[in-house]
Amino acid sequence: MSNPFDDPEAEFYALVNDDDQFSLWPARLDLPAGWSVALGPASREECLQHIEIHWTDIRPARNGA
């Protein structure tokens, strides 16, 4: 079985968590706990572009608080 994160033909989500961190996630998999959909389902490239535009600071929003 191939890695579902590398499939250029699959649909994906751009996910975001409570710390304003983003993740690429295959639409065919259940969403992980603590994450919500910021974009999608959409192409892998669209989701990666969304993440690049919106995740400008990789530090957690809570900064450990």
Side-chain angles (χ1 to χ4, degrees), residues 15-52:
L15 302 182
V16 64
N17 66 17
D18 290 339
D19 289 326
D20 292 327
Q21 296 171 310
F22 285 80
S23 179
L24 180 68
W25 196 258
R28 69 180 181 164
L29 300 179
D30 292 336
L31 296 181
W35 294 82
S36 59
V37 175
L39 177 75
S43 71
R44 185 176 192 277
E45 185 60 33
E46 287 175 290
C47 289
L48 289 173
Q49 287 175 348
H50 180 86
I51 291 169
E52 184 175 334

Side-chain angles (χ1 to χ4, degrees), residues 20 22 51-59:
D20 292 327
F22 285 80
I51 291 169
E52 184 175 334
I53 290 167
H54 291 90
W55 195 14
T56 58
D57 186 350
I58 64 169
R59 294 175 296 179

